[in-house]
Amino acid sequence: MLTGSEMGVVDENAAALGVPRKQLMESSGHAVAQAVRTIADPGEQVVIVAGRGNNGGDALVAARFLDDYDLRVLLLGRPDAISTTIARENWDALQHAEYPTETVRDSSALDLCTPDIVIDAMLGTGIAGDLREPEATAAAAMNGSDATVLSVDVPSGLDAETGRLADNAVDADHVVTFHDTKPGLPDLDVPVTVADIGIPDAAELFVEQGDLTRLERDPASHKGDNGEVLVVGGGPYTGAPALTAQAALRGGADLVRVACPAVVAREIQSYSENLILRPFDGDHLAPPHVDRLADLAADHDTLVVGPGLGDHDATLEGVAELLSGFDGTAVVDADALSVVPDVETDADLVCTPHQGELLGMGGETSEDWRERADLVESFAAEIGHTMLVKGPYDIVSNGERTRVGRTGNPGMTVGGTGDVLAGVTGALACVQAPLDAAAIAAHTVGTVGDRVVEDRGYGLVATDLLEEIPSVLWQRE
């Protein structure tokens, strides 16, 4: 089952894989026509009530496959208000071929007459709440008709995110939906056909451009609304936590703070005036620092722990104690990964090992990425956390769902790129589910690395990645 928004991601990913939405619309329209043929005989009257989006576009395609029916096509609204290019092209195709089309500009003038079949293609998976005009009047006309009502994708008025059916929704007799069922459809007690429209399985497996459509930013948001990240790192190394914190800012977090040993705080601060430091006593993390760090972490949306901490016994003991008492979302990287398998925690952990670190955690790997994906999925299920295993193919799994990232290049084997990835993951985990945050982060950082290498060749350093992160995340075509 896929929600409407998840289906939008899959559609966009299919386009990125070479199967454009126009092709999917053609397949969807053909599936609608096939559904009509299962419930109506040639010659019977079919009325299409089409909205101005892609849901309506699917039905406009179907019209071209229904020449042996007595057909009427009603468009709710003006043709120049059709909202997508591909839906408009299919409306224009009907005009050029002189199909019987009508426009309904005043809902009070809507007259279905006495059809045998009504195709409800007013609203698809992107709506919520009660129907408004003109769809409300059209739905009432369908519900009051003796015709058999076939809904396209979902009945107009069904919220495909929650499965809630509006009080004035279309009362469908049949539904033809695409690729996968949607929330609410199993509860309708009507026949539902799930049509294969040619979306490859890879559109759900591989992380592509469609995954970036999950990201949005409220124009009315205030400081902190888009995430606050606490990076716990530093001690033996200073560059790692600085890279992670700067990457979190580039990844969209509003505020990023670095909790680090006091002896390196000034050095970490010197990397950027954008960093906020929260130093603690000593030259490495140890159990006495945990209470203060736990209080700090509780005030942040995401905790990132590990960059530059080192593997001092007291440090790893402190990390284990911090994670065991934490119940939020935490990204765990570098030496801190070694404690995860033995820690009992209510936190949602996103672990970001390379394959050597994965082995150190007790996981298994393989040269074949498909086998590696299965192994990572099994290990994620075993430890109960999300894994982002870095490599030529990044494997992201929470034990139930697995995604594969294919961006990145050999130039990114340089030190510090993992710290950047941890920071972007931390930022995205403020506003996304852990699996999605990890998948988008891996895709983003890899894409940035590909751009840098394409522009300059190999020899990149981790700081080269920072400036390009926002353009990959937000400047989409």
Side-chain angles (χ1 to χ4, degrees):
M1 179 179 292
L2 292 176
T3 64
S5 58
E6 284 295 317
M7 193 66 227
V9 170
V10 172
D11 282 348
E12 288 290 338
N13 282 350
L17 294 169
V19 186
R21 280 189 177 235
K22 185 173 183 179
Q23 185 173 330
L24 297 178
M25 182 174 285
E26 192 72 15
S27 298
S28 299
H30 186 262
V32 172
Q34 286 292 101
V36 170
R37 295 182 184 283
T38 65
I39 59 176
D41 296 324
E44 291 189 319
Q45 187 176 73
V46 176
V47 173
I48 293 173
V49 182
R52 299 179 301 280
N54 282 343
N55 189 253
D58 294 336
L60 298 179
V61 170
R64 293 189 277 105
F65 292 96
L66 296 173
D67 285 342
D68 48 351
Y69 290 82
D70 179 11
L71 183 69
R72 291 174 65 207
V73 180
L74 308 182
L75 178 70
L76 295 185
R78 305 185 313 276
D80 61 7
I82 294 175
S83 61
T84 71
T85 300
I86 54 176
R88 188 176 303 111
E89 288 172 349
N90 280 295
W91 171 260
D92 292 342
L94 297 184
Q95 307 310 299
H96 294 319
E98 298 192 14
Y99 277 80
T101 61
E102 307 168 35
T103 58
V104 180
R105 303 190 182 197
D106 181 353
S107 59
S108 65
L110 175 70
D111 185 4
L112 296 178
C113 297
T114 55
D116 299 291
I117 303 292
V118 176
I119 297 177
D120 157 37
M122 297 188 296
L123 298 168
T125 57
I127 66 101
D130 291 341
L131 295 179
R132 294 177 290 185
E133 296 298 347
E135 290 81 13
T137 294
M142 293 182 204
N143 294 343
S145 169
D146 291 330
T148 298
V149 178
L150 171 66
S151 287
V152 176
D153 210 7
V154 296
S156 295
L158 176 68
D159 185 336
E161 296 301 312
T162 66
R164 178 186 176 274
L165 192 67
D167 291 339
N168 61 347
V170 169
D171 185 12
D173 298 300
H174 296 264
V175 178
V176 56
T177 194
F178 309 123
H179 183 67
D180 202 345
T181 192
K182 311 299 185 306
L185 291 183
D187 302 323
L188 291 181
D189 196 27
V190 301
V192 176
T193 299
V194 180
D196 184 348
I197 58 173
I199 294 176
D201 290 343
E204 292 189 57
L205 176 65
F206 293 135
V207 188
E208 292 287 350
Q209 286 294 109
D211 286 272
L212 299 181
T213 64
R214 302 178 193 278
L215 303 176
E216 56 185 22
R217 206 171 180 96
D218 185 352
S221 59
H222 301 281
K223 184 189 297 183
D225 291 349
N226 301 291
E228 298 188 33
V229 176
L230 177 67
V231 178
V232 177
Y237 309 97
T238 59
L243 282 169
T244 298
Q246 291 176 89
L249 288 168
R250 296 297 185 183
D254 286 339
L255 292 166
V256 179
R257 299 175 180 89
V258 180
C260 63
V263 296
V264 295
R266 193 176 293 272
E267 185 175 349
I268 292 173
Q269 179 72 77
S270 70
Y271 286 104
S272 173
E273 65 274 19
N274 297 301
L275 305 183
I276 303 170
L277 276 292
R278 293 290 184 262
F280 50 82
D281 294 337
D283 60 3
H284 63 272
L285 173 64
H289 303 124
V290 169
D291 287 345
R292 178 164 180 261
L293 293 176
D295 289 342
L296 281 172
D299 292 332
H300 291 75
D301 298 292
T302 304
L303 168 67
V304 181
V305 59
L309 279 178
D311 60 357
H312 193 288
D313 288 345
T315 296
L316 297 182
E317 184 182 346
V319 169
E321 187 176 330
L322 176 62
L323 292 177
S324 65
F326 187 59
D327 61 1
T329 300
V331 178
V332 185
D333 189 38
D335 291 313
L337 290 163
S338 64
V339 309
V340 169
D342 298 321
V343 169
E344 292 187 10
T345 178
D346 292 329
D348 292 319
L349 304 186
V350 180
C351 303
T352 59
H354 54 61
Q355 291 179 62
E357 291 167 330
L358 173 65
L359 293 172
M361 294 176 70
E364 297 179 79
T365 188
S366 169
E367 291 294 323
D368 182 270
W369 70 263
R370 293 174 179 85
E371 293 180 7
R372 189 162 67 253
D374 290 339
L375 291 170
V376 170
E377 182 175 285
S378 295
F379 186 63
E382 178 184 333
I383 67 172
H385 298 298
T386 300
M387 300 295 296
L388 191 178
V389 181
K390 297 170 282 194
Y393 286 78
D394 297 314
I395 309 298
V396 183
S397 181
N398 60 7
E400 296 180 357
R401 292 178 59 210
T402 297
R403 307 296 308 282
V404 177
R406 301 184 294 173
T407 58
N409 59 78
M412 298 180 69
T413 57
V414 66
T417 56
D419 301 309
V420 171
L421 177 61
V424 176
T425 304
L428 294 175
C430 295
V431 294
Q432 299 288 319
L435 181 83
D436 295 331
I440 296 170
H443 175 83
T444 298
V445 175
T447 300
V448 171
D450 290 341
R451 288 186 181 182
V452 172
V453 167
E454 182 179 359
D455 183 48
R456 310 179 199 174
Y458 294 130
L460 66 83
V461 294
T463 51
D464 293 335
L465 304 177
L466 296 174
E467 291 295 326
E468 285 291 319
I469 291 168
S471 66
V472 173
L473 284 173
W474 303 105
Q475 294 178 13
R476 300 187 290 272
E477 294 182 0

